[in-house]
Amino acid sequence: MRWTRTTAAAGAILLAAVGVVSCSQFPASQACFPPPFSLSQDTASAGGSISISAEDATCDPRYGDGAQIQVEVMDASGATIVTELAPMNDAGGFSITLDLPATAVPGRGMVTAYPHNLDWCDDTGRNNRVGRAAGTGIERVSCVMPSAPLTITSKL
Protein backbone atom coordinates (compact mmCIF):
# COMPACT_ATOMS: atom_id res chain seq x y z
CA MET A 1 0.00 0.00 0.00
CA ARG A 2 1.29 3.38 -0.91
CA TRP A 3 0.92 6.15 1.75
CA THR A 4 -0.51 9.42 0.57
CA ARG A 5 -1.91 12.44 2.35
CA THR A 6 -5.40 11.05 1.74
CA THR A 7 -4.50 7.69 3.33
CA ALA A 8 -2.90 9.43 6.34
CA ALA A 9 -5.94 11.70 6.78
CA ALA A 10 -8.31 8.72 6.57
CA GLY A 11 -6.22 6.91 9.20
CA ALA A 12 -6.30 9.92 11.51
CA ILE A 13 -10.09 10.18 11.18
CA LEU A 14 -10.45 6.46 11.95
CA LEU A 15 -8.24 6.73 15.06
CA ALA A 16 -10.17 9.77 16.27
CA ALA A 17 -13.47 7.93 15.83
CA VAL A 18 -12.17 4.91 17.76
CA GLY A 19 -10.99 7.24 20.55
CA VAL A 20 -14.44 8.82 20.84
CA VAL A 21 -16.11 5.41 21.05
CA SER A 22 -13.62 4.22 23.69
CA CYS A 23 -14.06 7.31 25.86
CA SER A 24 -17.83 7.18 25.73
CA GLN A 25 -17.83 3.53 26.80
CA PHE A 26 -15.78 4.24 29.94
CA PRO A 27 -16.65 7.71 31.27
CA ALA A 28 -14.23 9.17 33.80
CA SER A 29 -15.41 9.48 37.39
CA GLN A 30 -16.47 12.96 38.37
CA ALA A 31 -14.62 14.67 41.23
CA CYS A 32 -16.26 13.77 44.53
CA PHE A 33 -14.57 14.66 47.80
CA PRO A 34 -15.75 13.46 51.22
CA PRO A 35 -18.21 15.96 52.71
CA PRO A 36 -16.77 18.49 55.16
CA PHE A 37 -17.38 17.71 58.83
CA SER A 38 -18.18 20.06 61.69
CA LEU A 39 -17.79 20.11 65.46
CA SER A 40 -20.66 20.82 67.85
CA GLN A 41 -18.38 23.37 69.53
CA ASP A 42 -14.81 24.53 69.02
CA THR A 43 -13.97 24.40 72.75
CA ALA A 44 -14.44 21.45 75.12
CA SER A 45 -13.14 20.66 78.58
CA ALA A 46 -10.94 17.70 79.43
CA GLY A 47 -13.38 15.02 80.59
CA GLY A 48 -16.18 16.59 78.52
CA SER A 49 -17.69 15.49 75.24
CA ILE A 50 -17.95 16.74 71.69
CA SER A 51 -20.06 15.78 68.66
CA ILE A 52 -18.67 15.53 65.14
CA SER A 53 -20.92 15.22 62.08
CA ALA A 54 -21.15 15.63 58.32
CA GLU A 55 -24.10 16.04 55.99
CA ASP A 56 -24.32 13.84 52.90
CA ALA A 57 -22.01 14.79 50.03
CA THR A 58 -23.66 16.63 47.14
CA CYS A 59 -21.90 14.28 44.71
CA ASP A 60 -22.03 10.48 44.72
CA PRO A 61 -18.96 9.14 46.58
CA ARG A 62 -20.43 5.60 46.78
CA TYR A 63 -18.85 4.52 50.07
CA GLY A 64 -21.13 1.47 50.15
CA ASP A 65 -22.85 -0.56 52.84
CA GLY A 66 -20.89 -0.90 56.05
CA ALA A 67 -18.77 2.20 55.41
CA GLN A 68 -17.15 3.76 58.47
CA ILE A 69 -15.66 7.09 59.42
CA GLN A 70 -12.46 7.22 61.48
CA VAL A 71 -12.38 10.11 63.93
CA GLU A 72 -9.30 11.07 65.93
CA VAL A 73 -8.79 13.78 68.54
CA MET A 74 -5.33 15.14 69.38
CA ASP A 75 -4.68 17.27 72.45
CA ALA A 76 -2.29 20.23 72.75
CA SER A 77 0.70 17.91 73.20
CA GLY A 78 0.00 16.38 69.77
CA ALA A 79 -0.91 13.01 71.30
CA THR A 80 -3.90 11.15 69.88
CA ILE A 81 -6.27 10.91 72.85
CA VAL A 82 -9.34 9.44 71.11
CA THR A 83 -9.66 7.16 68.07
CA GLU A 84 -13.13 5.91 67.12
CA LEU A 85 -14.85 4.29 64.17
CA ALA A 86 -18.49 5.16 63.51
CA PRO A 87 -21.02 4.20 60.84
CA MET A 88 -21.04 6.38 57.72
CA ASN A 89 -23.71 6.23 55.04
CA ASP A 90 -23.12 5.72 51.32
CA ALA A 91 -23.03 9.51 50.74
CA GLY A 92 -20.53 10.17 53.56
CA GLY A 93 -22.95 11.49 56.20
CA PHE A 94 -22.25 10.60 59.83
CA SER A 95 -22.67 11.72 63.43
CA ILE A 96 -20.70 10.67 66.51
CA THR A 97 -20.31 11.94 70.09
CA LEU A 98 -16.94 11.40 71.76
CA ASP A 99 -15.86 11.65 75.38
CA LEU A 100 -12.54 13.39 75.92
CA PRO A 101 -10.30 11.89 78.61
CA ALA A 102 -9.86 13.91 81.79
CA THR A 103 -6.09 13.66 81.21
CA ALA A 104 -6.23 15.60 77.89
CA VAL A 105 -3.56 18.32 77.77
CA PRO A 106 -5.28 21.74 77.64
CA GLY A 107 -4.62 24.05 74.69
CA ARG A 108 -5.14 23.92 70.95
CA GLY A 109 -5.82 20.42 69.69
CA MET A 110 -7.23 18.99 66.51
CA VAL A 111 -9.97 16.66 65.26
CA THR A 112 -9.63 14.63 62.06
CA ALA A 113 -12.34 12.61 60.35
CA TYR A 114 -11.93 10.57 57.18
CA PRO A 115 -13.46 7.49 55.55
CA HIS A 116 -11.92 4.39 57.14
CA ASN A 117 -9.98 2.02 54.91
CA LEU A 118 -10.94 3.91 51.76
CA ASP A 119 -9.15 6.34 49.50
CA TRP A 120 -10.17 9.63 51.06
CA CYS A 121 -7.20 11.67 49.98
CA ASP A 122 -7.10 11.98 46.21
CA ASP A 123 -6.51 15.71 45.73
CA THR A 124 -7.93 15.47 42.22
CA GLY A 125 -11.28 14.24 43.54
CA ARG A 126 -11.07 11.18 41.31
CA ASN A 127 -13.08 8.31 42.79
CA ASN A 128 -10.47 5.55 42.95
CA ARG A 129 -13.02 3.03 44.26
CA VAL A 130 -15.23 3.06 41.16
CA GLY A 131 -14.19 0.96 38.20
CA ARG A 132 -11.42 -0.97 39.95
CA ALA A 133 -11.36 -4.73 39.61
CA ALA A 134 -12.42 -6.63 42.73
CA GLY A 135 -9.55 -7.44 45.05
CA THR A 136 -7.09 -4.96 43.51
CA GLY A 137 -7.12 -2.65 46.51
CA ILE A 138 -7.28 1.11 46.74
CA GLU A 139 -4.83 3.39 45.00
CA ARG A 140 -3.54 5.99 47.45
CA VAL A 141 -2.41 9.37 46.18
CA SER A 142 -1.47 12.83 47.48
CA CYS A 143 -3.18 13.58 50.79
CA VAL A 144 -4.31 16.53 52.82
CA MET A 145 -5.71 15.44 56.19
CA PRO A 146 -9.22 16.88 56.75
CA SER A 147 -9.10 18.49 60.19
CA ALA A 148 -10.70 21.08 62.47
CA PRO A 149 -9.17 22.90 65.45
CA LEU A 150 -10.44 22.11 68.95
CA THR A 151 -9.45 24.07 72.05
CA ILE A 152 -9.32 21.86 75.12
CA THR A 153 -9.74 23.56 78.47
CA SER A 154 -8.82 22.25 81.93
CA LYS A 155 -11.27 19.90 83.59
CA LEU A 156 -13.90 21.89 85.47
Side-chain angles (χ1 to χ4, degrees):
M1 172 183 223
R2 188 173 149 176
W3 287 95
T4 65
R5 286 186 187 169
T6 306
T7 305
I13 292 170
L14 178 61
L15 286 175
V18 169
V20 169
V21 171
S22 296
C23 291
S24 65
Q25 289 175 343
F26 304 103
S29 296
Q30 297 298 311
C32 187
F33 295 105
F37 68 90
S38 61
L39 308 178
S40 58
Q41 69 255 11
D42 58 4
T43 301
S45 63
S49 62
I50 187 167
S51 294
I52 300 102
S53 62
E55 298 294 323
D56 291 352
T58 56
C59 52
D60 185 13
R62 298 189 248 183
Y63 290 116
D65 294 335
Q68 294 179 304
I69 190 82
Q70 182 165 338
V71 180
E72 296 178 347
V73 179
M74 280 70 70
D75 67 10
S77 74
T80 300
I81 56 172
V82 178
T83 300
E84 291 287 333
L85 291 176
M88 177 178 67
N89 69 27
D90 187 54
F94 72 91
S95 180
I96 183 173
T97 298
L98 301 174
D99 295 322
L100 303 179
T103 57
V105 175
R108 186 172 175 149
M110 179 173 57
V111 176
T112 62
Y114 50 90
H116 174 68
N117 204 24
L118 294 174
D119 177 25
W120 53 269
C121 62
D122 184 345
D123 291 341
T124 67
R126 189 178 79 236
N127 188 337
N128 289 331
R129 294 174 309 285
V130 177
R132 294 187 62 90
T136 61
I138 299 298
E139 175 186 346
R140 219 162 171 176
V141 294
S142 170
C143 298
V144 175
M145 178 70 72
S147 64
L150 173 66
T151 300
I152 301 173
T153 59
S154 297
K155 184 177 176 183
L156 297 175

